[in-house]
Amino acid sequence: MIDVKSRISSFFIFNSNFGPKEGEELKRILFFHPSQPGPDARKMQVGLCEAVVKFMSTFSSEPCEALQTQTKRYIFYQPEKGYWMVLVVRIPYTTKALSAIGESKGEVIEPSVMHDLLVSSYKMFRMFRGPFKDISCSEIYDTCEQFFTPYISSRNLTNDISDIIQGINYLPLDKNSFFKVMCFIDLLEINYPDFKCVSFVFNDQLIWNSLSKDDMLTLYQYLVQTLLPKEVEKEIQGGAVTAAQRLGRFISPPEGIQIKEDLERLAKLHLMREDDSETREYYLIVYRTLSATVCFTVDVNTNLQLEAFKSLDAFIGPQLSNIASAINEQCTIHALQTAQLATSEHKFMYFNRLNLAFKTSPPINKLHPSMAIKPEVLSIISEIHEGRKSLGNYGEVIIKTPDEYWITGKSSNEREFYVIIQEKNANLKEIADEVKRICEAQMKGIFFYPM
Amino acid sequence: MARFRLKDSDEYYLHLSDQPKRFDADSPVTNVFFDDTNGQVFTVRSGGIAGVTVTSMDETKCTSFQMEDRGPIISIKLSLDQKILAIQRSQDNPNATVEFINFKDLAPTNVEYSHTCKWKNARILGFVWPRVNEIAFITDHGIELLQVLPEKKQLKNLKSSSFSGAWFSWCAQSSIVLLAGNNGALLQPFSLSNSTITKLQKLELDSSRPVVERDVFILRLCEATWCAVFRHGNCAATAAPGPTERYKWGAGLGLVGSLATVSRDNFVLEASSSQTSQVFDILEESKVENNTVIHIPIVAGNIMKPAVIGEQMCPMYSGTWVVFQPDYIIDARLGCLWRVHLSLTGLAHSVPKEEIPKLVAALLRRTNGKETIYRILNQLVSNAGSYLVELSKAFDEINSIYRRWADMEVARNTAGQAEGARSPHCFRVVLSQPEMCGHVLQAHADHGHIVQVVTAYIASLSRHDMVVQHPVGELCVRTLVTHNASGRLRALVRRGGLGDSRPLACQLLSLGHLDKAAAQLALDMMWRLKAYEEILEVLLSWDEPVGAAGAARQAGAGTWTALPPRKLLAAAQQHARRHSRPAAFVAVYHALVARNERTRGSPHFLKGEQCDSYIEYYKQLTMEQ
């Protein structure tokens, strides 16, 4: 929905407590993107936001969320007390003259999507660098610069439904293959008690996770959006993958683990495991064989030994490649089975708030861009998703747009289900029946409160 | 190599009876005979004048008496009911005769008679008592089966069968006599059961390699009778059970010298003059090479536990030992009768780690193997950190038997008795899911690796396509929740690893207050189980009256029409008041009115349904609108 490069006007983080005196305003700005505007322009923008936030606090105890002007939309997010993250997006606007003759306003950017972007960027920051408050004043500017500049420019949001709802794509897997994965993890953790397997990803689909719900999403996004695409690219080029590495290799740190110095390059993450009660620091180790990627955490206080990693490599490599091929086989069978199912031309979306499972109808064929979902429709879904209060724990809404789109949103038992149907001359009953049919076909065995 | 040692297990897996039965040793004036049918040792002093002592492991079969010496005895045996003594004397006698003495209370009466074989010039090789009051003379001309009528002091011929044999071998458990003809190249079995003689299919051996008497045994193993033939050259033993199957099993372990076998259930124990014993499991699925099934010993060869006689150590594997089926060992020089005992725990005394699953598999084929398996498993679970792989394989062994047993049960129940007549010998030990829970898993509920162990067990059940039964499911949920592994529990439920069942759904539901996702899964499961009425109750308790009304309608016409409206209306009213959502009440009310209209033709509630206050409330709500 957001073309980051052209649409994000600016993205900045400030804390008013960092330079309370006049003339120290620049100190308050922890990070500013893009880098072009001079200090004065920055001060102006941040100053405006500071003022708005401060002003709004007199009306409500809740922090201010957004500000819209004729040309820009500001989204505020205060992840930690005093620290504000602000995303500013240009919005297309029309002059009075144009709107009078019925010209469209152009794409509207959903505040919720912008807000999600802020939240996920903060979570990613916290995972890799820890909370803002734990970083000293002297380091915070550099730390933010190092993290957010590449992060913001790498965000590549496309115009797709998957950006409205941030979820995790789980791999459907038969129970025996799943047990294989489980038993592999158990055996590994028993033999290497320092290493805890926190996630098992196949291609870009999750099979196993043992992180808390929030961190699971962030780590999953890091893997799927940042780490794995790079690795896949390397594998396609073939250069980095020598025959010796074919069985499996460490991909984080990126150069693998061959010598003692590599151990110092291990990423340190702030994570909360499922059985933890608080966030702690862990080394992150990622191992990959064929399409299977396994992430381990090791407590930062552990004395790391190169031998342990070598033996781990020897242990995992052959087993994981067996499992990966077995899963691959299952996936092929599964893919054949689903291909035989009559594919519905209607699009649907499913989201489970409790395990963040997210599933959509098969992705749109790239050759038929006309099949892509219109931004208006997306924004309606986004509104239903965001304004879940309107549906409550349990409810269903059917919305018809002027251009013959029927959008159905269902909420029940912490789950959401959306169907988009484009059909002329349909009536409400037909749509409701069709939705019911799709729901039964696609969501077998899942209980939606009956109407 | 890591070895597994079962705690408190016997050091030797084979041992002789603690106290041997003593009898007078063989000497010039004393002759010792053994009857393997009754397990009795006869010591005949001075031809019987100085007394005959009968010794047996069974105290009720011991006695002593005196009799006249009428010449050297070749064979002496009491009948199965201990009421007739049969004696075969020296072959010098031109007529092949067997003498009989009637017994009463284990003492001879003065009633004596004799019977001569029907074939002239025949030589009696021996005689056996296949049944009470039935005796078979085995001669070099054939077998003669006779009925003994002790009161009339005579014998009646029942059946006879001609065969020219040189020696024979007898198996009391299966009543099969094997006669060797053609200089030991042709073995002909006869079955003497049912008061008749049935000629079984003959066994022809390579005529260039005939066998001698001491190398042929008839074994009763796994409810089948086997003829064991020892081949010394390559230390292989051939066995042919029944008429058609023919196996060879070999142990290429370089055993030299005489071999003796003792058999129990499915196990064959071989003792050799190299002073070690080995245990083979003939039911073990082993690879076949050149038509030969190669069995390797279950565990490494070991010596028998040294036995003592009185205060003195007894020479083991002595050359004076004679081994009889099924498990007797006699040392006539010392005058000792032992039985060989196999200690199952002793088998696990020192096993290479990798062979634990194999041992468990072997124990599963032992009638009384269960206890030992429990002990092994319990010890493995306590050390799950080092034995997870072996444990998982042992579970596989247990569950593959369990699966086959379950299949057989199903087949028997569906096809009736005709199919089920097959002998159950494959299933000596079946460890069911409740048993595994009760004897193994439950005891380790606090063990650090119990989560992994339970997962391994369920994984094994799943690999064998077994449905997880309630005790295991319940234990699994309890274990995972108490060990902070509820994420794993949810994943297992989502992936179908635990299967759907009402008890499981209820258990998950009860976890709902700690873990919302568990309750979500519980409802899904109830939905799949079509437990609409339970869903209705759950939704009512969750303050979701509209959903509850929907669930009631899904439950089918019966539930929906019989549903007391008060229950729903009360919940809806409470919900409407609490959340100020009158629409919820109105919706439920309308649905019930529509139901009344359809079922009774009138929208009104019945008097007995006591809905007046809700009708009031409805009016009040609609008025406001």
Side-chain angles (χ1 to χ4, degrees):
Chain A
M1 286 196 92
I2 314 176
D3 177 355
V4 181
K5 284 173 194 90
S6 64
R7 302 296 289 282
I8 291 187
S9 163
S10 53
F11 169 77
F12 49 86
I13 302 164
F14 70 89
N15 186 339
S16 309
N17 303 325
F18 274 54
K21 289 192 196 130
E22 215 172 303
E24 293 180 342
E25 288 87 353
L26 270 181
K27 279 193 185 167
R28 299 177 193 173
I29 308 170
L30 306 179
F31 173 73
F32 199 97
H33 171 88
S35 50
Q36 291 93 1
D40 285 341
R42 294 183 185 196
K43 267 193 254 176
M44 289 260 290
Q45 287 233 32
V46 174
L48 170 69
C49 293
E50 270 190 277
V52 169
V53 165
K54 185 93 185 157
F55 174 66
M56 291 305 289
S57 66
T58 53
F59 296 100
S60 163
S61 57
E62 295 289 308
C64 171
E65 287 178 350
L67 168 73
Q68 182 155 344
T69 66
Q70 194 176 25
T71 55
K72 283 173 182 160
R73 180 174 272 166
Y74 294 74
I75 301 291
F76 303 106
Y77 175 54
Q78 183 184 221
E80 291 167 43
K81 186 135 183 66
Y83 292 90
W84 288 89
M85 297 173 78
V86 185
L87 184 65
V88 188
V89 190
R90 284 183 212 97
I91 44 174
Y93 67 98
T94 51
T95 57
K96 253 189 183 157
L98 275 173
S99 63
I101 56 168
E103 197 74 16
S104 79
K105 284 202 298 172
E107 279 186 34
V108 188
I109 293 144
E110 276 311 309
S112 69
V113 174
M114 294 165 62
H115 186 256
D116 283 350
L117 181 66
L118 279 178
V119 173
S120 54
S121 68
Y122 170 70
K123 280 187 178 161
M124 199 67 84
F125 179 83
R126 195 185 55 188
M127 179 176 271
F128 280 91
R129 304 292 153 108
F132 288 127
K133 65 177 168 50
D134 290 357
I135 303 172
S136 71
C137 297
S138 52
E139 284 174 359
I140 197 159
Y141 302 97
D142 284 341
T143 312
C144 289
E145 181 67 35
Q146 279 163 16
F147 180 81
F148 283 108
T149 309
Y151 180 78
I152 285 294
S153 51
S154 75
R155 288 312 302 266
N156 185 20
L157 298 177
T158 49
N159 195 4
D160 196 23
I161 23 185
S162 56
D163 288 321
I164 300 174
I165 303 173
Q166 302 204 1
I168 294 175
N169 199 345
Y170 282 85
L171 181 73
L173 200 59
D174 72 296
K175 61 178 177 176
N176 279 333
S177 306
F178 178 68
F179 274 125
K180 254 184 213 156
V181 173
M182 283 311 306
C183 293
F184 162 73
I185 293 173
D186 282 348
L187 201 57
L188 194 144
E189 291 186 348
I190 276 187
N191 285 322
Y192 300 90
D194 287 338
F195 293 81
K196 285 275 173 295
C197 177
V198 289
S199 77
F200 191 113
V201 174
F202 190 79
N203 286 329
D204 55 353
Q205 293 179 298
L206 189 75
I207 293 178
W208 169 248
N209 148 73
S210 66
L211 289 176
S212 65
K213 198 169 80 174
D214 271 4
D215 286 345
M216 158 169 87
L217 180 64
T218 313
L219 183 69
Y220 173 77
Q221 286 175 338
Y222 166 68
L223 288 177
V224 172
Q225 292 167 0
T226 313
L227 188 64
L228 291 182
K230 273 192 241 162
E231 283 305 315
V232 171
E233 203 169 304
K234 268 195 219 167
E235 280 163 24
I236 291 169
Q237 287 168 356
V241 192
T242 61
Q245 285 173 317
R246 211 161 283 153
L247 263 185
R249 64 196 189 280
F250 293 102
I251 57 169
S252 172
E255 295 79 27
I257 298 175
Q258 267 101 34
I259 49 169
K260 213 162 172 19
E261 283 66 39
D262 286 331
L263 296 181
E264 285 155 26
R265 291 195 201 108
L266 286 175
K268 275 189 199 173
L269 259 62
H270 298 71
L271 291 173
M272 188 155 99
R273 293 203 297 229
E274 204 173 34
D275 46 356
D276 286 349
S277 50
E278 53 178 11
T279 301
R280 284 165 46 189
E281 255 192 293
Y282 294 102
Y283 288 116
L284 176 75
I285 299 127
V286 186
Y287 192 90
R288 183 169 162 89
T289 303
L290 302 173
S291 308
T293 310
V294 193
C295 299
F296 305 97
T297 54
V298 177
D299 195 289
V300 282
N301 299 318
T302 314
N303 182 18
L304 296 178
Q305 295 292 332
L306 190 62
E307 283 70 42
F309 284 89
K310 296 248 178 207
S311 121
L312 187 69
D313 183 20
F315 179 87
I316 306 177
Q319 295 209 34
L320 192 57
S321 70
N322 279 345
I323 292 175
S325 356
I327 295 175
N328 203 9
E329 223 165 88
Q330 281 298 322
C331 289
T332 320
I333 295 170
H334 188 254
L336 282 174
Q337 283 167 350
T338 39
Q340 279 166 355
L341 283 177
T343 43
S344 160
E345 71 270 40
H346 308 306
K347 291 178 193 65
F348 68 86
M349 236 186 295
Y350 162 81
F351 179 62
N352 184 350
R353 288 192 284 265
L354 292 180
N355 69 344
L356 307 180
F358 180 70
K359 185 183 169 187
T360 61
S361 41
I364 305 122
N365 194 332
K366 294 267 168 10
L367 296 172
H368 299 283
S370 61
M371 296 282 283
I373 302 166
K374 285 188 143 192
E376 288 89 342
V377 175
L378 284 183
S379 102
I380 289 173
I381 292 179
S382 165
E383 269 168 38
I384 305 175
H385 169 63
E386 208 50 37
R388 104 172 225 236
K389 290 174 200 101
S390 64
L391 277 183
N393 290 334
Y394 161 49
E396 184 167 326
V397 62
I398 301 179
I399 295 168
K400 182 178 179 258
T401 65
D403 42 359
E404 305 294 339
Y405 274 105
W406 294 80
I407 300 144
T408 310
K410 245 167 117 109
S411 161
S412 149
N413 202 6
E414 302 290 331
R415 292 187 170 105
E416 293 166 30
F417 188 69
Y418 304 94
V419 181
I420 304 157
I421 297 171
Q422 187 184 19
E423 200 163 315
K424 274 188 187 139
N425 308 324
N427 62 35
L428 204 57
K429 171 104 178 44
E430 286 163 11
I431 296 297
D433 288 348
E434 180 66 13
V435 168
K436 204 171 162 192
R437 200 187 57 74
I438 295 172
C439 186
E440 272 164 18
Q442 298 291 343
M443 299 289 128
K444 226 175 244 163
I446 283 181
F447 174 61
F448 285 97
Y449 295 172
M451 287 293 179
Chain B
M1 193 165 51
R3 291 185 86 84
F4 172 80
R5 178 180 296 255
L6 184 64
K7 275 182 214 147
D8 305 323
S9 60
D10 301 317
E11 191 181 344
Y12 303 97
Y13 53 78
L14 286 179
H15 59 95
L16 301 174
S17 327
D18 288 340
Q19 289 300 325
K21 279 286 167 188
R22 301 302 305 269
F23 51 87
D24 294 341
D26 204 19
S27 73
V29 289
T30 310
N31 293 312
V32 177
F33 302 93
F34 184 69
D35 170 19
D36 54 5
T37 313
N38 282 317
Q40 286 166 318
V41 177
F42 291 79
T43 42
V44 182
R45 284 178 298 275
S46 310
I49 296 172
V52 176
T53 310
V54 182
T55 320
S56 165
M57 287 291 174
D58 183 353
E59 292 296 335
T60 63
K61 290 184 179 177
C62 297
T63 182
S64 62
F65 53 88
Q66 282 184 320
M67 60 180 198
E68 276 176 57
D69 181 5
R70 290 181 191 150
I73 296 172
I74 290 177
S75 178
I76 177 166
K77 285 174 182 176
L78 272 163
S79 66
L80 296 180
D81 58 359
Q82 317 290 311
K83 282 186 176 154
I84 307 160
L85 178 71
I87 306 161
Q88 183 197 352
R89 295 196 191 263
S90 170
Q91 291 160 352
D92 301 341
N93 193 336
N95 291 324
T97 308
V98 173
E99 295 167 21
F100 297 91
I101 303 172
N102 283 1
F103 263 55
K104 196 174 181 216
D105 299 331
L106 289 169
T109 60
N110 52 6
V111 184
E112 295 183 20
Y113 44 99
S114 66
H115 188 86
T116 308
C117 169
K118 74 170 199 172
W119 286 289
K120 294 275 185 291
N121 305 322
R123 189 165 61 89
I124 297 188
L125 302 170
F127 62 88
V128 292
W129 289 98
R131 282 178 127 184
V132 173
N133 289 357
E134 270 178 33
I135 190 165
F137 292 177
I138 295 146
T139 71
D140 54 359
H141 282 57
I143 300 173
E144 192 181 359
L145 186 65
L146 301 141
Q147 189 180 17
V148 187
L149 306 166
E151 302 82 20
K152 294 183 182 170
K153 301 202 281 183
Q154 51 176 260
L155 282 83
K156 202 175 96 186
N157 188 312
L158 288 172
K159 181 95 180 167
S160 58
S161 181
S162 300
F163 183 83
S164 166
W167 45 263
F168 76 99
S169 180
W170 161 246
C171 172
Q173 295 113 304
S174 53
S175 297
I176 286 179
V177 170
L178 183 92
L179 265 165
N182 197 11
N183 292 325
L186 174 67
L187 302 177
Q188 176 61 61
F190 296 91
S191 167
L192 302 185
S193 45
N194 298 329
S195 304
T196 182
I197 302 176
T198 317
K199 203 170 182 176
L200 303 176
Q201 190 175 328
K202 66 188 173 204
L203 193 64
E204 273 172 292
L205 301 174
D206 186 354
S207 58
S208 63
R209 295 173 61 206
V211 286
V212 291
E213 188 174 358
R214 66 187 167 100
D215 287 336
V216 175
F217 290 94
I218 309 259
L219 310 176
R220 181 74 182 162
L221 297 168
C222 325
E223 273 100 70
T225 305
W226 305 63
C227 168
V229 179
F230 290 120
R231 293 295 197 186
H232 293 274
N234 51 7
C235 285
T238 313
T244 49
E245 295 163 81
R246 182 173 198 154
Y247 293 117
K248 282 181 181 172
W249 79 84
L253 288 164
L255 291 182
V256 228
S258 66
L259 290 157
T261 22
V262 183
S263 55
R264 268 300 193 70
D265 280 7
N266 49 325
F267 282 12
V268 180
L269 318 170
E270 294 191 6
S272 75
S273 60
S274 62
Q275 305 236 327
T276 47
S277 304
Q278 293 179 324
V279 185
F280 295 89
D281 178 357
I282 55 155
L283 284 183
E284 174 197 45
E285 282 168 27
S286 34
K287 58 179 183 210
V288 181
E289 272 174 26
N290 304 334
N291 260 334
T292 306
V293 184
I294 308 290
H295 285 276
I296 49 172
I298 300 170
V299 291
N302 194 358
I303 54 166
M304 277 193 210
K305 184 179 179 180
V308 285
I309 307 170
E311 297 290 302
Q312 283 194 315
M313 290 304 285
C314 161
M316 302 302 286
Y317 301 96
S318 145
T320 51
W321 278 14
V322 186
V323 179
F324 289 94
Q325 291 298 316
D327 54 3
Y328 294 105
I329 290 184
I330 288 175
D331 191 325
R333 186 80 46 83
L334 291 171
C336 291
L337 167 69
W338 292 281
R339 295 186 85 146
V340 178
H341 296 279
L342 175 69
S343 154
L344 294 180
T345 57
L347 289 172
H349 184 68
S350 176
V351 201
K353 194 176 165 188
E354 303 71 47
E355 291 190 5
I356 300 171
K358 196 181 114 189
L359 178 62
V360 170
L363 289 171
L364 280 167
R365 295 185 284 260
R366 286 290 302 191
T367 313
N368 47 359
K370 219 173 208 169
E371 274 314 307
T372 311
I373 294 177
Y374 287 147
R375 282 179 62 181
I376 295 180
L377 288 180
N378 275 310
Q379 197 174 327
L380 290 178
V381 174
S382 324
N383 301 312
S386 10
Y387 289 113
L388 192 62
V389 176
E390 287 74 27
L391 199 52
S392 166
K393 285 183 185 159
F395 286 148
D396 278 349
E397 296 288 353
I398 290 166
N399 288 328
S400 82
I401 299 283
Y402 187 30
R403 167 87 228 174
R404 271 157 48 197
W405 172 81
D407 284 346
M408 196 78 97
E409 286 292 296
V410 170
R412 211 168 56 181
N413 290 340
T414 49
Q417 288 301 308
E419 285 278 321
R422 245 193 84 180
S423 77
H425 71 259
C426 306
F427 310 113
R428 288 179 191 279
V429 179
V430 174
L431 291 183
S432 67
Q433 299 185 33
E435 284 173 308
M436 279 301 284
C437 273
H439 289 91
V440 181
L441 301 175
Q442 232 144 32
H444 302 272
D446 299 323
H447 190 273
H449 293 307
I450 189 68
V451 170
Q452 285 82 353
V453 172
V454 171
T455 311
Y457 182 60
I458 296 176
S460 169
L461 285 175
S462 162
R463 276 195 288 277
H464 292 91
D465 249 334
M466 301 292 296
V467 176
V468 176
Q469 288 169 1
H470 177 55
V472 177
E474 199 229 310
L475 178 101
C476 177
V477 173
R478 195 151 26 89
T479 310
L480 296 183
V481 170
T482 50
H483 286 81
N484 274 335
S486 42
R488 179 182 294 225
L489 172 63
R490 290 193 302 269
L492 283 177
V493 174
R494 287 206 171 93
R495 308 278 181 182
L498 285 179
D500 291 346
S501 71
R502 279 180 200 223
L504 180 60
C506 294
Q507 228 181 346
L508 288 171
L509 195 64
S510 67
L511 293 171
H513 65 283
L514 298 170
D515 182 359
K516 259 179 133 180
Q520 188 190 48
L521 292 171
L523 267 196
D524 287 349
M525 194 178 285
M526 288 178 172
W527 178 248
R528 291 192 292 266
L529 294 166
K530 299 192 166 44
Y532 302 119
E533 280 155 57
E534 284 86 344
I535 292 179
L536 168 71
E537 294 301 327
V538 172
L539 292 181
L540 281 179
S541 73
W542 284 0
D543 195 17
E544 294 282 2
V546 184
R553 284 216 311 243
Q554 292 276 343
T559 318
W560 177 232
T561 46
L563 186 76
R566 255 185 83 86
K567 194 155 121 184
L568 266 184
L569 289 172
Q573 187 186 37
Q574 203 183 18
H575 181 84
R577 285 195 176 138
R578 202 181 288 166
H579 304 278
S580 30
R581 282 169 67 179
F585 180 82
V586 175
V588 171
Y589 188 87
H590 282 165
L592 286 168
V593 167
R595 178 197 76 162
N596 293 344
E597 179 99 58
R598 198 166 312 141
T599 50
R600 297 199 283 265
S602 127
H604 304 294
F605 291 103
L606 296 177
K607 262 251 150 51
E609 288 174 338
Q610 298 178 313
C611 295
D612 298 345
S613 65
Y614 303 108
I615 299 169
E616 256 337 283
Y617 184 63
Y618 173 72
K619 281 183 185 153
Q620 191 190 326
L621 285 179
T622 39
M623 290 256 266
E624 282 166 16
Q625 283 169 359

